[in-house]
Amino acid sequence: MTDEIVPPDPAALLIKRLATRVRDIRKAQGLPRRLLSEKSGVSPRYLAQLEAGEGNISISLLQRIATALDVKIETLLSETAPWDREVQRVATLYRHAPRELQQQVRGLLAPQNPATLRAGRICLVGLRGAGKSTLGKLAGDALKIPFIELNREIEQHTGMPLSEVMAFYGQDGYRALEAEAITRVIGAHDKMILAVAGGLVAEEGTFGQVLERCHTIWVRTSPAEHMQRVRAQGDLRPMQGNPAAMEQLKLLLQTRTPLYQQAEAEINTSNRSVSASLNDLVKIIASRGFLEVSAE
């Protein structure tokens, strides 16, 4: 009778992987455990136990350690091997570089043909309520290409609804997840229609990547229809207890208009039916050759 083979304990493997990641990243940065303790607020003794693979750690403490190491918490937990030390070092330098320098680096690394770089990817930008998600899904179905809503991609990746993402990561953390999601979906799709949150255009680095790697279309409408559609979706927050909401919306639209105008094309859905707006969108995609990878 042969001995029964006992499968490895997934929890034990995770703890071992976490211990190795924290220890290797700390050493790669030349960071003494005492200094990591000061930066993270986690005691040296607890860090020693963690790096030895002893005991469990709470998510909140692990997030503090990841922040102190200047890495994403996913890097410490992912089953896939992290980048080598040199790539990690370059990635850290890139994250802390000015936005202008980040754009220069992307320009040096990117192919020279913008049409090839953008492939058949189309990104819809605009304030909430303009019709990005509705039109994006319908156009994706009509053109038989994937439709991706970036916030849903973030929810699937983190395993939590957007409200919890915002509560857990905060606004800065959400923006970092948003930038990572852009990179992820661009890397996974040569053809797609992508709808992004209205505020993404205010993040220069992230919006720069979108402009560089996607054909962009500004989906716009009037402030009144923006407000009406948001309320029709069941969200009464824009108006509840805020009589100045419409003026604030107009100011926001005015502020972001120069950013949205960087898009290659635009459609106006104001006083237009969904079918008419869909027809406008599909016509623009066809006339501008946005799905032709070799188009100029």
Side-chain angles (χ1 to χ4, degrees), residues 121-124 132-141 145-154 156 181-182 184-197:
R121 292 181 290 268
I122 298 161
C123 181
L124 307 181
K132 302 187 301 278
S133 298
T134 299
L135 296 177
K137 184 179 186 310
L138 291 172
D141 291 342
I145 59 175
F147 167 67
I148 298 168
E149 192 167 4
L150 196 65
N151 277 342
R152 302 292 83 78
E153 165 68 22
I154 292 172
Q156 291 175 10
I182 286 289
R184 193 164 54 248
V185 298
I186 285 174
H189 298 279
D190 285 334
K191 286 191 176 184
M192 67 173 178
I193 296 182
L194 173 68
V196 300

PDB file of all heavy atoms in Angstrom, residues 121-124 132-141 145-154 156 181-182 184-197:
ATOM      1  N   ARG A 121      -8.179  49.850 -31.175  1.00  0.00           N
ATOM      2  CA  ARG A 121      -8.770  50.168 -29.869  1.00  0.00           C
ATOM      3  C   ARG A 121      -9.440  51.540 -29.901  1.00  0.00           C
ATOM      4  O   ARG A 121      -8.852  52.511 -30.348  1.00  0.00           O
ATOM      5  CB  ARG A 121      -7.686  50.124 -28.791  1.00  0.00           C
ATOM      6  CG  ARG A 121      -7.137  48.728 -28.532  1.00  0.00           C
ATOM      7  CD  ARG A 121      -6.079  48.754 -27.441  1.00  0.00           C
ATOM      8  NE  ARG A 121      -4.870  49.424 -27.915  1.00  0.00           N
ATOM      9  CZ  ARG A 121      -3.845  48.788 -28.471  1.00  0.00           C
ATOM     10  NH1 ARG A 121      -3.872  47.477 -28.623  1.00  0.00           N
ATOM     11  NH2 ARG A 121      -2.781  49.468 -28.865  1.00  0.00           N
ATOM     12  N   ILE A 122     -10.656  51.608 -29.393  1.00  0.00           N
ATOM     13  CA  ILE A 122     -11.429  52.842 -29.357  1.00  0.00           C
ATOM     14  C   ILE A 122     -11.798  53.128 -27.905  1.00  0.00           C
ATOM     15  O   ILE A 122     -12.286  52.243 -27.200  1.00  0.00           O
ATOM     16  CB  ILE A 122     -12.705  52.719 -30.202  1.00  0.00           C
ATOM     17  CG1 ILE A 122     -12.336  52.466 -31.675  1.00  0.00           C
ATOM     18  CG2 ILE A 122     -13.587  53.953 -30.065  1.00  0.00           C
ATOM     19  CD1 ILE A 122     -13.470  51.888 -32.478  1.00  0.00           C
ATOM     20  N   CYS A 123     -11.548  54.350 -27.463  1.00  0.00           N
ATOM     21  CA  CYS A 123     -11.871  54.717 -26.081  1.00  0.00           C
ATOM     22  C   CYS A 123     -12.856  55.879 -26.085  1.00  0.00           C
ATOM     23  O   CYS A 123     -12.633  56.903 -26.739  1.00  0.00           O
ATOM     24  CB  CYS A 123     -10.608  55.107 -25.320  1.00  0.00           C
ATOM     25  SG  CYS A 123     -10.938  55.544 -23.588  1.00  0.00           S
ATOM     26  N   LEU A 124     -13.955  55.716 -25.358  1.00  0.00           N
ATOM     27  CA  LEU A 124     -14.974  56.752 -25.220  1.00  0.00           C
ATOM     28  C   LEU A 124     -14.728  57.527 -23.931  1.00  0.00           C
ATOM     29  O   LEU A 124     -14.645  56.933 -22.847  1.00  0.00           O
ATOM     30  CB  LEU A 124     -16.369  56.130 -25.199  1.00  0.00           C
ATOM     31  CG  LEU A 124     -16.714  55.187 -26.362  1.00  0.00           C
ATOM     32  CD1 LEU A 124     -18.141  54.673 -26.211  1.00  0.00           C
ATOM     33  CD2 LEU A 124     -16.524  55.873 -27.707  1.00  0.00           C
ATOM     34  N   LYS A 132     -21.699  56.972 -22.679  1.00  0.00           N
ATOM     35  CA  LYS A 132     -20.530  56.148 -23.046  1.00  0.00           C
ATOM     36  C   LYS A 132     -20.820  54.655 -22.920  1.00  0.00           C
ATOM     37  O   LYS A 132     -20.543  53.882 -23.839  1.00  0.00           O
ATOM     38  CB  LYS A 132     -19.318  56.506 -22.164  1.00  0.00           C
ATOM     39  CG  LYS A 132     -18.892  57.954 -22.207  1.00  0.00           C
ATOM     40  CD  LYS A 132     -17.599  58.153 -21.431  1.00  0.00           C
ATOM     41  CE  LYS A 132     -17.694  57.757 -19.980  1.00  0.00           C
ATOM     42  NZ  LYS A 132     -18.280  58.788 -19.118  1.00  0.00           N
ATOM     43  N   SER A 133     -21.346  54.243 -21.773  1.00  0.00           N
ATOM     44  CA  SER A 133     -21.556  52.813 -21.529  1.00  0.00           C
ATOM     45  C   SER A 133     -22.640  52.244 -22.442  1.00  0.00           C
ATOM     46  O   SER A 133     -22.470  51.167 -23.031  1.00  0.00           O
ATOM     47  CB  SER A 133     -21.928  52.574 -20.062  1.00  0.00           C
ATOM     48  OG  SER A 133     -20.876  52.981 -19.208  1.00  0.00           O
ATOM     49  N   THR A 134     -23.754  52.966 -22.564  1.00  0.00           N
ATOM     50  CA  THR A 134     -24.855  52.490 -23.416  1.00  0.00           C
ATOM     51  C   THR A 134     -24.402  52.350 -24.858  1.00  0.00           C
ATOM     52  O   THR A 134     -24.580  51.302 -25.500  1.00  0.00           O
ATOM     53  CB  THR A 134     -26.042  53.458 -23.328  1.00  0.00           C
ATOM     54  OG1 THR A 134     -26.513  53.511 -21.978  1.00  0.00           O
ATOM     55  CG2 THR A 134     -27.175  53.000 -24.235  1.00  0.00           C
ATOM     56  N   LEU A 135     -23.802  53.412 -25.388  1.00  0.00           N
ATOM     57  CA  LEU A 135     -23.380  53.393 -26.794  1.00  0.00           C
ATOM     58  C   LEU A 135     -22.207  52.450 -27.015  1.00  0.00           C
ATOM     59  O   LEU A 135     -22.123  51.789 -28.056  1.00  0.00           O
ATOM     60  CB  LEU A 135     -23.009  54.806 -27.248  1.00  0.00           C
ATOM     61  CG  LEU A 135     -24.153  55.819 -27.252  1.00  0.00           C
ATOM     62  CD1 LEU A 135     -23.640  57.192 -27.660  1.00  0.00           C
ATOM     63  CD2 LEU A 135     -25.273  55.373 -28.188  1.00  0.00           C
ATOM     64  N   GLY A 136     -21.303  52.384 -26.045  1.00  0.00           N
ATOM     65  CA  GLY A 136     -20.147  51.501 -26.184  1.00  0.00           C
ATOM     66  C   GLY A 136     -20.557  50.047 -26.304  1.00  0.00           C
ATOM     67  O   GLY A 136     -20.048  49.311 -27.161  1.00  0.00           O
ATOM     68  N   LYS A 137     -21.498  49.624 -25.464  1.00  0.00           N
ATOM     69  CA  LYS A 137     -21.954  48.229 -25.519  1.00  0.00           C
ATOM     70  C   LYS A 137     -22.674  47.934 -26.832  1.00  0.00           C
ATOM     71  O   LYS A 137     -22.444  46.900 -27.470  1.00  0.00           O
ATOM     72  CB  LYS A 137     -22.875  47.917 -24.338  1.00  0.00           C
ATOM     73  CG  LYS A 137     -23.299  46.453 -24.276  1.00  0.00           C
ATOM     74  CD  LYS A 137     -24.173  46.187 -23.086  1.00  0.00           C
ATOM     75  CE  LYS A 137     -24.464  44.682 -22.955  1.00  0.00           C
ATOM     76  NZ  LYS A 137     -24.932  44.074 -24.210  1.00  0.00           N
ATOM     77  N   LEU A 138     -23.548  48.855 -27.245  1.00  0.00           N
ATOM     78  CA  LEU A 138     -24.289  48.646 -28.487  1.00  0.00           C
ATOM     79  C   LEU A 138     -23.352  48.637 -29.699  1.00  0.00           C
ATOM     80  O   LEU A 138     -23.510  47.820 -30.611  1.00  0.00           O
ATOM     81  CB  LEU A 138     -25.343  49.737 -28.655  1.00  0.00           C
ATOM     82  CG  LEU A 138     -26.521  49.699 -27.664  1.00  0.00           C
ATOM     83  CD1 LEU A 138     -27.390  50.936 -27.821  1.00  0.00           C
ATOM     84  CD2 LEU A 138     -27.360  48.431 -27.856  1.00  0.00           C
ATOM     85  N   ALA A 139     -22.384  49.535 -29.707  1.00  0.00           N
ATOM     86  CA  ALA A 139     -21.433  49.577 -30.822  1.00  0.00           C
ATOM     87  C   ALA A 139     -20.563  48.330 -30.832  1.00  0.00           C
ATOM     88  O   ALA A 139     -20.249  47.784 -31.902  1.00  0.00           O
ATOM     89  CB  ALA A 139     -20.563  50.828 -30.724  1.00  0.00           C
ATOM     90  N   GLY A 140     -20.166  47.860 -29.647  1.00  0.00           N
ATOM     91  CA  GLY A 140     -19.382  46.630 -29.577  1.00  0.00           C
ATOM     92  C   GLY A 140     -20.145  45.447 -30.152  1.00  0.00           C
ATOM     93  O   GLY A 140     -19.592  44.637 -30.901  1.00  0.00           O
ATOM     94  N   ASP A 141     -21.447  45.366 -29.813  1.00  0.00           N
ATOM     95  CA  ASP A 141     -22.275  44.293 -30.355  1.00  0.00           C
ATOM     96  C   ASP A 141     -22.410  44.415 -31.877  1.00  0.00           C
ATOM     97  O   ASP A 141     -22.320  43.418 -32.604  1.00  0.00           O
ATOM     98  CB  ASP A 141     -23.667  44.331 -29.711  1.00  0.00           C
ATOM     99  CG  ASP A 141     -23.644  43.942 -28.240  1.00  0.00           C
ATOM    100  OD1 ASP A 141     -22.646  43.316 -27.808  1.00  0.00           O
ATOM    101  OD2 ASP A 141     -24.602  44.278 -27.518  1.00  0.00           O
ATOM    102  N   ILE A 145     -16.941  43.425 -31.609  1.00  0.00           N
ATOM    103  CA  ILE A 145     -15.672  43.562 -30.882  1.00  0.00           C
ATOM    104  C   ILE A 145     -16.003  43.722 -29.401  1.00  0.00           C
ATOM    105  O   ILE A 145     -17.111  44.141 -29.051  1.00  0.00           O
ATOM    106  CB  ILE A 145     -14.828  44.752 -31.390  1.00  0.00           C
ATOM    107  CG1 ILE A 145     -15.593  46.070 -31.244  1.00  0.00           C
ATOM    108  CG2 ILE A 145     -14.395  44.535 -32.827  1.00  0.00           C
ATOM    109  CD1 ILE A 145     -14.754  47.294 -31.620  1.00  0.00           C
ATOM    110  N   PRO A 146     -15.066  43.396 -28.504  1.00  0.00           N
ATOM    111  CA  PRO A 146     -15.361  43.475 -27.068  1.00  0.00           C
ATOM    112  C   PRO A 146     -15.657  44.906 -26.615  1.00  0.00           C
ATOM    113  O   PRO A 146     -15.048  45.860 -27.113  1.00  0.00           O
ATOM    114  CB  PRO A 146     -14.072  42.957 -26.414  1.00  0.00           C
ATOM    115  CG  PRO A 146     -13.344  42.225 -27.482  1.00  0.00           C
ATOM    116  CD  PRO A 146     -13.718  42.871 -28.771  1.00  0.00           C
ATOM    117  N   PHE A 147     -16.595  45.023 -25.688  1.00  0.00           N
ATOM    118  CA  PHE A 147     -16.825  46.298 -24.997  1.00  0.00           C
ATOM    119  C   PHE A 147     -16.370  46.125 -23.553  1.00  0.00           C
ATOM    120  O   PHE A 147     -16.733  45.159 -22.880  1.00  0.00           O
ATOM    121  CB  PHE A 147     -18.292  46.704 -25.021  1.00  0.00           C
ATOM    122  CG  PHE A 147     -18.600  47.836 -24.065  1.00  0.00           C
ATOM    123  CD1 PHE A 147     -18.072  49.102 -24.280  1.00  0.00           C
ATOM    124  CD2 PHE A 147     -19.374  47.619 -22.928  1.00  0.00           C
ATOM    125  CE1 PHE A 147     -18.327  50.146 -23.391  1.00  0.00           C
ATOM    126  CE2 PHE A 147     -19.640  48.648 -22.041  1.00  0.00           C
ATOM    127  CZ  PHE A 147     -19.114  49.915 -22.268  1.00  0.00           C
ATOM    128  N   ILE A 148     -15.582  47.066 -23.073  1.00  0.00           N
ATOM    129  CA  ILE A 148     -15.051  47.003 -21.710  1.00  0.00           C
ATOM    130  C   ILE A 148     -15.340  48.318 -21.011  1.00  0.00           C
ATOM    131  O   ILE A 148     -15.029  49.397 -21.531  1.00  0.00           O
ATOM    132  CB  ILE A 148     -13.532  46.747 -21.712  1.00  0.00           C
ATOM    133  CG1 ILE A 148     -13.221  45.405 -22.364  1.00  0.00           C
ATOM    134  CG2 ILE A 148     -12.974  46.778 -20.283  1.00  0.00           C
ATOM    135  CD1 ILE A 148     -11.768  45.189 -22.659  1.00  0.00           C
ATOM    136  N   GLU A 149     -15.948  48.231 -19.855  1.00  0.00           N
ATOM    137  CA  GLU A 149     -16.140  49.406 -19.009  1.00  0.00           C
ATOM    138  C   GLU A 149     -15.059  49.360 -17.931  1.00  0.00           C
ATOM    139  O   GLU A 149     -14.973  48.397 -17.167  1.00  0.00           O
ATOM    140  CB  GLU A 149     -17.536  49.404 -18.386  1.00  0.00           C
ATOM    141  CG  GLU A 149     -17.893  50.713 -17.732  1.00  0.00           C
ATOM    142  CD  GLU A 149     -19.367  50.816 -17.391  1.00  0.00           C
ATOM    143  OE1 GLU A 149     -20.114  49.831 -17.595  1.00  0.00           O
ATOM    144  OE2 GLU A 149     -19.777  51.879 -16.920  1.00  0.00           O
ATOM    145  N   LEU A 150     -14.230  50.381 -17.882  1.00  0.00           N
ATOM    146  CA  LEU A 150     -13.021  50.311 -17.059  1.00  0.00           C
ATOM    147  C   LEU A 150     -13.339  50.102 -15.585  1.00  0.00           C
ATOM    148  O   LEU A 150     -12.639  49.338 -14.902  1.00  0.00           O
ATOM    149  CB  LEU A 150     -12.174  51.574 -17.239  1.00  0.00           C
ATOM    150  CG  LEU A 150     -10.735  51.440 -16.752  1.00  0.00           C
ATOM    151  CD1 LEU A 150      -9.967  50.423 -17.586  1.00  0.00           C
ATOM    152  CD2 LEU A 150     -10.011  52.784 -16.761  1.00  0.00           C
ATOM    153  N   ASN A 151     -14.370  50.727 -15.074  1.00  0.00           N
ATOM    154  CA  ASN A 151     -14.704  50.549 -13.654  1.00  0.00           C
ATOM    155  C   ASN A 151     -15.123  49.108 -13.356  1.00  0.00           C
ATOM    156  O   ASN A 151     -14.839  48.589 -12.272  1.00  0.00           O
ATOM    157  CB  ASN A 151     -15.809  51.510 -13.238  1.00  0.00           C
ATOM    158  CG  ASN A 151     -15.259  52.890 -12.885  1.00  0.00           C
ATOM    159  OD1 ASN A 151     -14.061  53.049 -12.637  1.00  0.00           O
ATOM    160  ND2 ASN A 151     -16.118  53.894 -12.862  1.00  0.00           N
ATOM    161  N   ARG A 152     -15.795  48.454 -14.298  1.00  0.00           N
ATOM    162  CA  ARG A 152     -16.153  47.046 -14.088  1.00  0.00           C
ATOM    163  C   ARG A 152     -14.890  46.176 -14.106  1.00  0.00           C
ATOM    164  O   ARG A 152     -14.788  45.193 -13.372  1.00  0.00           O
ATOM    165  CB  ARG A 152     -17.120  46.567 -15.189  1.00  0.00           C
ATOM    166  CG  ARG A 152     -18.411  47.345 -15.317  1.00  0.00           C
ATOM    167  CD  ARG A 152     -19.339  47.162 -14.115  1.00  0.00           C
ATOM    168  NE  ARG A 152     -18.993  48.036 -12.999  1.00  0.00           N
ATOM    169  CZ  ARG A 152     -19.293  49.328 -12.940  1.00  0.00           C
ATOM    170  NH1 ARG A 152     -19.913  49.908 -13.939  1.00  0.00           N
ATOM    171  NH2 ARG A 152     -18.959  50.041 -11.877  1.00  0.00           N
ATOM    172  N   GLU A 153     -13.935  46.540 -14.943  1.00  0.00           N
ATOM    173  CA  GLU A 153     -12.660  45.823 -14.983  1.00  0.00           C
ATOM    174  C   GLU A 153     -11.934  45.952 -13.649  1.00  0.00           C
ATOM    175  O   GLU A 153     -11.368  44.980 -13.137  1.00  0.00           O
ATOM    176  CB  GLU A 153     -11.789  46.389 -16.116  1.00  0.00           C
ATOM    177  CG  GLU A 153     -10.317  46.009 -16.060  1.00  0.00           C
ATOM    178  CD  GLU A 153     -10.048  44.543 -16.317  1.00  0.00           C
ATOM    179  OE1 GLU A 153     -10.891  43.873 -16.933  1.00  0.00           O
ATOM    180  OE2 GLU A 153      -8.981  44.068 -15.877  1.00  0.00           O
ATOM    181  N   ILE A 154     -11.971  47.136 -13.056  1.00  0.00           N
ATOM    182  CA  ILE A 154     -11.339  47.355 -11.745  1.00  0.00           C
ATOM    183  C   ILE A 154     -12.053  46.525 -10.682  1.00  0.00           C
ATOM    184  O   ILE A 154     -11.411  45.913  -9.820  1.00  0.00           O
ATOM    185  CB  ILE A 154     -11.363  48.852 -11.389  1.00  0.00           C
ATOM    186  CG1 ILE A 154     -10.441  49.631 -12.333  1.00  0.00           C
ATOM    187  CG2 ILE A 154     -10.935  49.076  -9.943  1.00  0.00           C
ATOM    188  CD1 ILE A 154     -10.529  51.137 -12.192  1.00  0.00           C
ATOM    189  N   GLN A 156     -13.695  43.697 -11.097  1.00  0.00           N
ATOM    190  CA  GLN A 156     -13.367  42.288 -11.293  1.00  0.00           C
ATOM    191  C   GLN A 156     -11.950  41.979 -10.820  1.00  0.00           C
ATOM    192  O   GLN A 156     -11.691  40.932 -10.228  1.00  0.00           O
ATOM    193  CB  GLN A 156     -13.521  41.920 -12.762  1.00  0.00           C
ATOM    194  CG  GLN A 156     -14.960  41.921 -13.252  1.00  0.00           C
ATOM    195  CD  GLN A 156     -15.076  41.661 -14.744  1.00  0.00           C
ATOM    196  OE1 GLN A 156     -14.110  41.302 -15.400  1.00  0.00           O
ATOM    197  NE2 GLN A 156     -16.265  41.856 -15.296  1.00  0.00           N
ATOM    198  N   ALA A 181      -5.304  49.339 -14.766  1.00  0.00           N
ATOM    199  CA  ALA A 181      -6.349  48.691 -15.573  1.00  0.00           C
ATOM    200  C   ALA A 181      -6.234  49.099 -17.039  1.00  0.00           C
ATOM    201  O   ALA A 181      -6.429  48.271 -17.937  1.00  0.00           O
ATOM    202  CB  ALA A 181      -7.736  49.044 -15.024  1.00  0.00           C
ATOM    203  N   ILE A 182      -5.901  50.362 -17.297  1.00  0.00           N
ATOM    204  CA  ILE A 182      -5.699  50.819 -18.673  1.00  0.00           C
ATOM    205  C   ILE A 182      -4.585  50.010 -19.333  1.00  0.00           C
ATOM    206  O   ILE A 182      -4.721  49.499 -20.451  1.00  0.00           O
ATOM    207  CB  ILE A 182      -5.358  52.321 -18.702  1.00  0.00           C
ATOM    208  CG1 ILE A 182      -6.603  53.165 -18.413  1.00  0.00           C
ATOM    209  CG2 ILE A 182      -4.747  52.717 -20.046  1.00  0.00           C
ATOM    210  CD1 ILE A 182      -7.620  53.161 -19.524  1.00  0.00           C
ATOM    211  N   ARG A 184      -3.520  47.119 -18.511  1.00  0.00           N
ATOM    212  CA  ARG A 184      -3.912  45.706 -18.613  1.00  0.00           C
ATOM    213  C   ARG A 184      -4.832  45.462 -19.811  1.00  0.00           C
ATOM    214  O   ARG A 184      -4.599  44.535 -20.587  1.00  0.00           O
ATOM    215  CB  ARG A 184      -4.605  45.294 -17.311  1.00  0.00           C
ATOM    216  CG  ARG A 184      -4.802  43.815 -17.124  1.00  0.00           C
ATOM    217  CD  ARG A 184      -5.120  43.471 -15.680  1.00  0.00           C
ATOM    218  NE  ARG A 184      -6.250  44.212 -15.138  1.00  0.00           N
ATOM    219  CZ  ARG A 184      -6.162  45.128 -14.185  1.00  0.00           C
ATOM    220  NH1 ARG A 184      -4.978  45.430 -13.662  1.00  0.00           N
ATOM    221  NH2 ARG A 184      -7.243  45.746 -13.728  1.00  0.00           N
ATOM    222  N   VAL A 185      -5.849  46.292 -19.985  1.00  0.00           N
ATOM    223  CA  VAL A 185      -6.803  46.036 -21.074  1.00  0.00           C
ATOM    224  C   VAL A 185      -6.182  46.357 -22.437  1.00  0.00           C
ATOM    225  O   VAL A 185      -6.478  45.691 -23.428  1.00  0.00           O
ATOM    226  CB  VAL A 185      -8.120  46.815 -20.875  1.00  0.00           C
ATOM    227  CG1 VAL A 185      -8.817  46.375 -19.599  1.00  0.00           C
ATOM    228  CG2 VAL A 185      -7.906  48.319 -20.876  1.00  0.00           C
ATOM    229  N   ILE A 186      -5.312  47.350 -22.479  1.00  0.00           N
ATOM    230  CA  ILE A 186      -4.627  47.664 -23.741  1.00  0.00           C
ATOM    231  C   ILE A 186      -3.726  46.504 -24.144  1.00  0.00           C
ATOM    232  O   ILE A 186      -3.653  46.125 -25.318  1.00  0.00           O
ATOM    233  CB  ILE A 186      -3.821  48.976 -23.606  1.00  0.00           C
ATOM    234  CG1 ILE A 186      -4.765  50.175 -23.619  1.00  0.00           C
ATOM    235  CG2 ILE A 186      -2.790  49.096 -24.733  1.00  0.00           C
ATOM    236  CD1 ILE A 186      -4.085  51.501 -23.350  1.00  0.00           C
ATOM    237  N   GLY A 187      -3.060  45.927 -23.154  1.00  0.00           N
ATOM    238  CA  GLY A 187      -2.190  44.791 -23.441  1.00  0.00           C
ATOM    239  C   GLY A 187      -2.950  43.553 -23.866  1.00  0.00           C
ATOM    240  O   GLY A 187      -2.411  42.699 -24.582  1.00  0.00           O
ATOM    241  N   ALA A 188      -4.221  43.455 -23.458  1.00  0.00           N
ATOM    242  CA  ALA A 188      -4.992  42.242 -23.732  1.00  0.00           C
ATOM    243  C   ALA A 188      -5.826  42.325 -25.009  1.00  0.00           C
ATOM    244  O   ALA A 188      -6.276  41.297 -25.513  1.00  0.00           O
ATOM    245  CB  ALA A 188      -5.918  41.942 -22.545  1.00  0.00           C
ATOM    246  N   HIS A 189      -6.037  43.549 -25.542  1.00  0.00           N
ATOM    247  CA  HIS A 189      -6.965  43.691 -26.679  1.00  0.00           C
ATOM    248  C   HIS A 189      -6.366  44.568 -27.767  1.00  0.00           C
ATOM    249  O   HIS A 189      -5.971  45.702 -27.514  1.00  0.00           O
ATOM    250  CB  HIS A 189      -8.288  44.320 -26.224  1.00  0.00           C
ATOM    251  CG  HIS A 189      -9.029  43.498 -25.210  1.00  0.00           C
ATOM    252  ND1 HIS A 189      -9.818  42.424 -25.548  1.00  0.00           N
ATOM    253  CD2 HIS A 189      -9.080  43.598 -23.860  1.00  0.00           C
ATOM    254  CE1 HIS A 189     -10.346  41.904 -24.452  1.00  0.00           C
ATOM    255  NE2 HIS A 189      -9.902  42.593 -23.416  1.00  0.00           N
ATOM    256  N   ASP A 190      -6.336  44.037 -28.995  1.00  0.00           N
ATOM    257  CA  ASP A 190      -5.963  44.835 -30.153  1.00  0.00           C
ATOM    258  C   ASP A 190      -7.184  45.528 -30.755  1.00  0.00           C
ATOM    259  O   ASP A 190      -7.048  46.523 -31.472  1.00  0.00           O
ATOM    260  CB  ASP A 190      -5.305  43.967 -31.227  1.00  0.00           C
ATOM    261  CG  ASP A 190      -3.881  43.591 -30.847  1.00  0.00           C
ATOM    262  OD1 ASP A 190      -3.264  44.338 -30.076  1.00  0.00           O
ATOM    263  OD2 ASP A 190      -3.400  42.546 -31.312  1.00  0.00           O
ATOM    264  N   LYS A 191      -8.361  44.988 -30.476  1.00  0.00           N
ATOM    265  CA  LYS A 191      -9.601  45.620 -30.905  1.00  0.00           C
ATOM    266  C   LYS A 191     -10.579  45.609 -29.740  1.00  0.00           C
ATOM    267  O   LYS A 191     -10.818  44.563 -29.124  1.00  0.00           O
ATOM    268  CB  LYS A 191     -10.212  44.888 -32.112  1.00  0.00           C
ATOM    269  CG  LYS A 191      -9.491  45.137 -33.421  1.00  0.00           C
ATOM    270  CD  LYS A 191     -10.284  44.607 -34.601  1.00  0.00           C
ATOM    271  CE  LYS A 191      -9.593  44.960 -35.920  1.00  0.00           C
ATOM    272  NZ  LYS A 191     -10.391  44.541 -37.095  1.00  0.00           N
ATOM    273  N   MET A 192     -11.138  46.760 -29.454  1.00  0.00           N
ATOM    274  CA  MET A 192     -12.114  46.853 -28.361  1.00  0.00           C
ATOM    275  C   MET A 192     -12.723  48.244 -28.377  1.00  0.00           C
ATOM    276  O   MET A 192     -12.210  49.177 -29.007  1.00  0.00           O
ATOM    277  CB  MET A 192     -11.452  46.619 -26.999  1.00  0.00           C
ATOM    278  CG  MET A 192     -10.479  47.715 -26.600  1.00  0.00           C
ATOM    279  SD  MET A 192      -9.849  47.525 -24.909  1.00  0.00           S
ATOM    280  CE  MET A 192      -8.705  48.914 -24.819  1.00  0.00           C
ATOM    281  N   ILE A 193     -13.841  48.389 -27.676  1.00  0.00           N
ATOM    282  CA  ILE A 193     -14.387  49.698 -27.335  1.00  0.00           C
ATOM    283  C   ILE A 193     -14.330  49.800 -25.819  1.00  0.00           C
ATOM    284  O   ILE A 193     -14.847  48.933 -25.115  1.00  0.00           O
ATOM    285  CB  ILE A 193     -15.826  49.874 -27.851  1.00  0.00           C
ATOM    286  CG1 ILE A 193     -15.844  49.842 -29.382  1.00  0.00           C
ATOM    287  CG2 ILE A 193     -16.417  51.183 -27.349  1.00  0.00           C
ATOM    288  CD1 ILE A 193     -17.216  50.045 -29.988  1.00  0.00           C
ATOM    289  N   LEU A 194     -13.699  50.838 -25.340  1.00  0.00           N
ATOM    290  CA  LEU A 194     -13.468  51.030 -23.907  1.00  0.00           C
ATOM    291  C   LEU A 194     -14.179  52.290 -23.454  1.00  0.00           C
ATOM    292  O   LEU A 194     -14.081  53.329 -24.108  1.00  0.00           O
ATOM    293  CB  LEU A 194     -11.961  51.142 -23.654  1.00  0.00           C
ATOM    294  CG  LEU A 194     -11.498  51.501 -22.236  1.00  0.00           C
ATOM    295  CD1 LEU A 194     -11.808  50.355 -21.274  1.00  0.00           C
ATOM    296  CD2 LEU A 194     -10.001  51.818 -22.235  1.00  0.00           C
ATOM    297  N   ALA A 195     -14.902  52.212 -22.342  1.00  0.00           N
ATOM    298  CA  ALA A 195     -15.516  53.390 -21.733  1.00  0.00           C
ATOM    299  C   ALA A 195     -14.821  53.651 -20.402  1.00  0.00           C
ATOM    300  O   ALA A 195     -14.693  52.742 -19.581  1.00  0.00           O
ATOM    301  CB  ALA A 195     -17.011  53.163 -21.515  1.00  0.00           C
ATOM    302  N   VAL A 196     -14.356  54.878 -20.203  1.00  0.00           N
ATOM    303  CA  VAL A 196     -13.624  55.217 -18.979  1.00  0.00           C
ATOM    304  C   VAL A 196     -14.406  56.239 -18.173  1.00  0.00           C
ATOM    305  O   VAL A 196     -15.296  56.922 -18.684  1.00  0.00           O
ATOM    306  CB  VAL A 196     -12.214  55.747 -19.303  1.00  0.00           C
ATOM    307  CG1 VAL A 196     -11.411  54.694 -20.048  1.00  0.00           C
ATOM    308  CG2 VAL A 196     -12.275  57.045 -20.108  1.00  0.00           C
ATOM    309  N   ALA A 197     -14.046  56.370 -16.901  1.00  0.00           N
ATOM    310  CA  ALA A 197     -14.708  57.330 -16.011  1.00  0.00           C
ATOM    311  C   ALA A 197     -14.427  58.759 -16.485  1.00  0.00           C
ATOM    312  O   ALA A 197     -13.384  59.051 -17.078  1.00  0.00           O
ATOM    313  CB  ALA A 197     -14.218  57.134 -14.585  1.00  0.00           C
TER     314      ALA A 197
END
